[in-house]
Amino acid sequence: MLDSCVSSIVISFRQLSVKQATVSDGSKSRFSRLFKWGGSSGPATEASDPAARESTASENLSPSLEQVRALKQQGQLVEALAAGRRLLTLRPDDIDVAVLVAEVLVAQGQRDAAVAIYSAQIERAPDRALAWYKRGNLLKDAGNSQEAVADYDRAIAIDPNYAYALCNRGVVLARLGRLDAALESYDRAIAIIPGDVIALFARADLLRELKRTEEALAAYSHILTIQPDHLQSYCNRGVLLTELERHVEARADFDRALDLNSNVPDVYFGR
């Protein structure tokens, strides 16, 4: 279902940081490395410092985040992983690089290695909500529900408005049978992202599972006011209407669903 809230949601929301065009501490340290003052003998140039020369050449040859991303998008996963790992070695605190390397590892089927990438980020910066959230997603997908909930809880403790962590937490809590807690988690997420259809649909399905039929009907109807072509909401609302013996309304929902996609099994069974 969620990767209804994450796979489907998916949902990934990252902001690019804008760096000021001033001399950073990192560039200062590089400057001091390249031109080391040697006391009375005067400055030592880069040419007289082989270690500095090698380090500078290494940095100049390092791939950019955009290059690694392009390799991944082109399906060149081996090359993307090699370049990404090199970049992460040079920028070990860069969460964007870590996320990209982890995504390449997942694409290669190396989920445990991807978890290790996020674990290393958490160890370096325990207050980084994104790393907890991303590791939680991998644990969720692997079926490690209790550990996933713990990671989502940490992400939410750091950022109480982390809607997608709240939403995916709801998915895992529902999987664990903690339905009321799951509903509360969905409600908190939707209060932050009220128009998010995937979060709304996850909540509607949970209301249906809780046998809160009228509320579920209202939830599906609300989704359809936001996204009138949301196929599964028509299907599920039609099933509920059938259970309530409101057959004319149910038939209208199934017909609408068939107009959207004539190959949906739920519709045929509903009719």
Side-chain angles (χ1 to χ4, degrees):
M1 175 173 66
L2 226 274
D3 283 11
S4 311
C5 248
V6 175
S7 309
S8 286
I9 256 187
V10 171
I11 277 180
S12 70
F13 297 8
R14 256 168 239 125
Q15 296 179 334
L16 296 174
S17 61
V18 179
K19 298 182 179 179
Q20 295 179 345
T22 57
V23 178
S24 66
D25 290 341
S27 60
K28 288 178 182 176
S29 64
R30 181 180 170 191
F31 183 88
S32 61
R33 186 173 66 245
L34 297 183
F35 299 96
K36 297 180 180 178
W37 290 91
S40 60
S41 60
T45 65
E46 180 179 346
S48 66
D49 189 345
R53 189 165 61 249
E54 181 180 349
S55 176
T56 304
S58 175
E59 290 182 14
N60 290 338
L61 291 173
S62 67
S64 68
L65 185 65
E66 292 71 24
Q67 288 170 329
V68 178
R69 186 174 288 118
L71 288 168
K72 175 178 177 285
Q73 291 172 345
Q74 293 162 12
Q76 300 181 48
L77 298 181
V78 174
E79 295 82 355
L81 182 57
R85 283 195 180 280
R86 174 155 180 70
L87 187 58
L88 188 59
T89 299
L90 295 170
R91 294 157 56 179
D93 293 316
D94 192 326
I95 187 63
D96 291 329
V97 176
V99 168
L100 185 53
V101 171
E103 288 175 350
V104 174
L105 287 166
V106 170
Q108 290 186 324
Q110 300 186 57
R111 288 186 175 273
D112 288 345
V115 168
I117 292 290
Y118 291 126
S119 296
Q121 288 294 306
I122 288 167
E123 186 173 348
R124 297 183 72 89
D127 60 346
R128 187 170 282 164
L130 179 61
W132 290 102
Y133 168 72
K134 288 288 189 177
R135 191 176 73 172
N137 287 346
L138 290 177
L139 293 169
K140 172 181 71 69
D141 294 343
N144 299 325
S145 299
Q146 296 286 3
E147 296 173 55
V149 170
D151 274 8
Y152 292 139
D153 283 344
R154 287 297 298 269
I156 295 161
I158 295 165
D159 180 2
N161 292 321
Y162 206 147
Y164 301 109
L166 285 162
C167 196
N168 284 6
R169 177 176 178 270
V171 173
V172 181
L173 287 171
R175 181 190 293 169
L176 291 169
R178 297 168 58 186
L179 302 186
D180 289 335
L183 183 61
E184 184 267 344
S185 202
Y186 288 144
D187 285 342
R188 287 177 61 189
I190 290 166
I192 299 164
I193 47 171
D196 190 281
V197 169
I198 297 174
L200 289 167
F201 184 74
R203 179 179 180 275
D205 271 358
L206 183 57
L207 288 168
R208 178 185 173 193
E209 187 174 353
L210 287 166
K211 306 299 182 184
R212 293 165 61 169
T213 303
E214 292 298 331
E215 290 176 80
L217 282 173
Y220 290 128
S221 296
H222 178 59
I223 291 168
L224 292 169
T225 64
I226 297 171
Q227 186 176 324
D229 61 350
H230 195 264
L231 173 67
Q232 200 59 47
S233 288
Y234 283 112
C235 294
N236 291 8
R237 190 174 69 175
V239 170
L240 285 179
L241 289 168
T242 300
E243 292 171 358
L244 293 172
E245 298 186 356
R246 293 163 61 177
H247 298 295
V248 174
E249 295 169 84
R251 179 61 180 265
D253 273 358
F254 292 138
D255 285 345
R256 178 62 179 134
L258 283 171
D259 288 341
L260 294 169
N261 186 343
S262 61
N263 297 314
V264 180
D266 284 358
V267 175
Y268 289 113
F269 289 129
R271 295 183 70 175

